[in-house]
Amino acid sequence: MQEHKDFWDKNAGRYNHFMQKDWAAYEEMYARIRPVVKAKTVLELATGTGLIAKNIVNAAAHIEATDASAEMILEAKRDTRSAKLHFSVQDMFRLPYADQSFDVVIVSNALHIVPQPEKALAEIRRVLKDDGVLIAPTFTHAGNSFSGKVRAFFMKRVGFPLHSKWTSAEYLCFLRQNGWTVRKSVVLKASFPLTYAECVKMEV
């Protein structure tokens, strides 16, 4: 995990520029997220520089936005203007929050880059209310075109941590296998296919 954190610390200042090419997909994603978080208490994991949190905070009641990278959180705090948004450094595998603390948990473009993503999902399940919603948009690299595969290869060469490669169908199956009912999903067009998924806890 340390090398993973080091990569994001080193690239925090470039992150927003890197994400600009996918702004249209992200705008569509924000529009999908806002009604779900309306007047809700939200936790965002792997917030990076806070792009999602800052774009949806006006709809939410409160957002706790966290990341393992201290440098990312420093970048995120630079232009934070909302009293409803709080940034902090946290480990998604060991969160400091009580059971069932949040109405919504967002983990965007993170489950494919962490080792043992099923453990992250178990921790999300713990802090999410039983009637809460998990929003988990993720780049699904395995379904790439040839040019997408070339991009993924070079990203890996520069140290981009890619632990899981799923197609969209494989990713949704992974969520179901780990105790989540996918209530809504759509593939958004971005640099890599971006599978937007809204989930609720599967009844046991």
Side-chain angles (χ1 to χ4, degrees):
M1 280 295 284
Q2 184 58 44
E3 65 193 61
H4 170 104
K5 195 164 93 46
D6 289 346
F7 175 86
W8 295 113
D9 280 346
K10 278 191 291 192
N11 288 283
R14 284 175 280 196
Y15 182 79
N16 284 0
H17 177 73
F18 177 74
M19 295 305 293
Q20 275 175 356
K21 62 185 177 302
D22 289 328
W23 70 268
Y26 267 67
E27 287 293 333
E28 185 175 345
M29 191 168 71
Y30 304 147
R32 290 177 180 276
I33 294 173
R34 285 184 194 112
V36 184
V37 302
K38 189 170 176 57
K40 303 288 189 186
T41 301
V42 180
L43 169 66
E44 188 189 8
L45 305 175
T47 190
T49 56
L51 286 174
I52 294 175
K54 290 171 186 176
N55 275 279
I56 65 168
V57 68
N58 287 344
H62 178 79
I63 300 179
E64 284 290 321
T66 71
D67 200 282
S69 164
E71 291 298 322
M72 283 289 193
I73 292 299
L74 272 176
E75 285 289 325
K77 286 179 173 177
R78 281 187 206 282
D79 61 349
T80 305
R81 296 183 182 89
S82 176
K84 298 194 293 180
L85 176 54
H86 177 252
F87 287 105
S88 66
V89 178
Q90 305 294 347
D91 177 352
M92 73 168 68
F93 296 97
R94 288 182 291 276
L95 295 168
Y97 312 110
D99 294 359
Q100 301 199 38
S101 295
F102 297 94
D103 301 305
V104 181
V105 175
I106 300 169
V107 58
S108 177
N109 290 325
L111 292 176
H112 63 305
I113 62 173
V114 295
Q116 299 179 294
E118 64 281 357
K119 287 193 174 179
L121 287 176
E123 185 67 341
I124 289 168
R125 172 178 285 275
R126 182 185 71 78
V127 300
L128 183 66
K129 292 177 182 176
D130 284 342
D131 60 351
V133 179
L134 165 63
I135 301 175
T138 294
F139 285 128
T140 40
H141 296 76
N144 281 349
S145 62
F146 175 74
S147 62
K149 287 187 167 104
V150 170
R151 274 201 300 272
F153 171 78
F154 283 107
M155 285 166 72
K156 192 131 194 184
R157 287 288 296 272
V158 299
F160 185 87
L162 184 59
H163 286 275
S164 302
K165 283 178 74 174
W166 295 299
T167 62
S168 181
E170 287 167 347
Y171 175 57
L172 298 177
C173 183
F174 166 76
L175 292 171
R176 293 184 187 106
Q177 287 171 342
N178 284 278
W180 299 90
T181 297
V182 180
R183 72 176 194 184
K184 189 181 291 184
S185 70
V186 65
V187 179
L188 305 178
K189 190 171 182 197
S191 301
F192 301 98
L194 177 56
T195 301
Y196 174 86
E198 278 177 26
C199 311
V200 293
K201 291 181 181 180
M202 195 176 280
E203 291 185 22
V204 289

